[in-house]
């Protein structure tokens, strides 16, 4: 049983999105770390659109939501892979993050932006503020994938491959470091 569960949260459900290619490559790199269990959480498989109720306000939780909550509770940290839409994060990702709270609290988030010229940096900057609002911490390392339409394909990076591999592995290593540290800290001191 791997020591840490670190799911990848995909930020979009746009048909034909390119961020999915990046997420699948991030998954393949994450699976090289024996201490990590990971998978892609695709919001398209969850039965919500715009936020109507938070999970704990629902009279009856659909089974997919209950499964999502349990899975996030079990996680030791998260790696968000998201596109930037009009200088911000997709509404889908915000709705997913707003659905629960305790399950994110005091856990680390690795952030990877995908975009055109700016490589999703503005989305990542916004996420740092949002993650603080969740009572969680963001891994400081900035990771951006610019020009995704030409720099990435279904099999991974097509451009500057060594640099992209090193950057993504570095993000995984940092996330692992924070996940370990915060897991020990949470066990020693439960949230008030
Ligand atoms: C609604 C929308 C808005 C976008 N706005 C931005 C943007 O602000 N900055 C940027 O770098 N790319 C922007 N893009 C381009 C995306 O980065 C590009 O589509 C890329 O493929 C990643 O998004 P995807 O996963 O949906 O394909 C936008 C794309 C869409 C669909």
């Amino acid at each position: 049983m791997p020591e840490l569960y670190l799911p990848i949260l995909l930020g979009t459900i746009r048909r034909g999105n390119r961020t999915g290619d990046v997420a699948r490559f991030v998954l393949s790199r994450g699976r090289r770390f024996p201490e990590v269990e990971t998978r892609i959480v695709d919001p398209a498989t969850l039965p919500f659109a715009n936020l109507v109720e938070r999970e704990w306000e629902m009279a009856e939780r659909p089974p997919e939501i209950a499964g999502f909550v349990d899975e996030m509770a079990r996680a030791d940290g998260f790696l968000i892979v998201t596109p930037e839409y009009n200088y911000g994060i997709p509404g889908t990702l915000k709705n997913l993050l707003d659905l629960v709270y305790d399950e994110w609290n005091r856990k680390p988030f690795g952030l990877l932006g995908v975009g055109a010229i700016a490589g999703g940096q503005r989305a990542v900057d916004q996420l740092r503020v949002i993650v603080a609002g969740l009572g969680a911490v963001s891994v400081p390392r900035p990771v951006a994938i610019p020009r995704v339409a030409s720099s990435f394909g279904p099999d991974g990076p097509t451009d500057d491959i060594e640099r992209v591999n090193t950057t993504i592995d570095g993000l995984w290593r940092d996330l692992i470091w924070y996940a370990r540290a915060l897991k020990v800290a949470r066990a020693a001191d439960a949230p008030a």
Side-chain angles (χ1 to χ4, degrees):
M1 181 83 173
E3 174 195 345
L4 300 168
Y5 182 47
L6 303 172
I8 296 163
L9 309 180
L10 178 63
T12 181
I13 58 169
R14 190 178 76 82
R15 192 169 293 131
N17 73 77
R18 306 298 298 267
T19 302
D21 288 342
V22 179
R24 283 182 285 278
F25 184 70
V26 168
L27 176 73
S28 73
R29 299 304 293 188
R31 286 189 168 152
R32 296 160 70 104
F33 292 89
E35 64 270 54
V36 172
E37 176 193 352
T38 184
R39 76 171 193 103
I40 295 173
V41 175
D42 182 349
T45 64
L46 293 166
F48 69 85
N50 286 321
L51 185 80
V52 178
E53 290 168 316
R54 288 170 293 184
E55 169 268 321
W56 65 88
E57 294 161 340
M58 294 175 178
E60 218 166 296
R61 297 191 309 182
E64 296 91 339
I65 296 283
F68 170 76
V69 174
D70 290 348
E71 186 177 350
M72 297 305 105
R74 175 170 90 80
D76 302 299
F78 313 92
L79 204 161
I80 294 180
V81 180
T82 187
E84 174 176 306
Y85 290 161
N86 297 318
Y87 288 20
I89 69 165
T92 299
L93 178 59
K94 186 68 166 61
N95 279 320
L96 182 148
L97 292 172
D98 290 341
L99 192 68
V100 296
Y101 182 83
D102 292 348
E103 290 72 12
W104 313 128
N105 205 236
R106 294 183 169 187
K107 293 179 184 174
F109 281 74
L111 305 175
L112 189 153
V114 176
I117 293 169
Q121 271 304 336
R122 287 169 290 224
V124 166
D125 288 347
Q126 289 183 3
L127 277 169
R128 292 200 193 285
V129 177
I130 292 165
V131 163
L134 301 173
V137 298
S138 64
V139 170
R141 182 185 290 257
V143 180
I145 304 288
R147 300 177 290 103
V148 67
S150 59
S151 67
F152 239 88
D155 298 324
T158 53
D159 206 14
D160 217 356
I161 296 171
E162 274 315 303
R163 189 193 60 81
V164 176
N165 288 351
T166 305
T167 305
I168 290 173
D169 290 353
L171 181 61
W172 273 115
R173 266 194 283 276
D174 280 2
L175 180 60
I176 290 166
W177 188 93
Y178 279 92
R180 268 198 189 116
L182 291 174
K183 190 174 187 174
V184 171
R186 282 195 309 279
D189 177 16

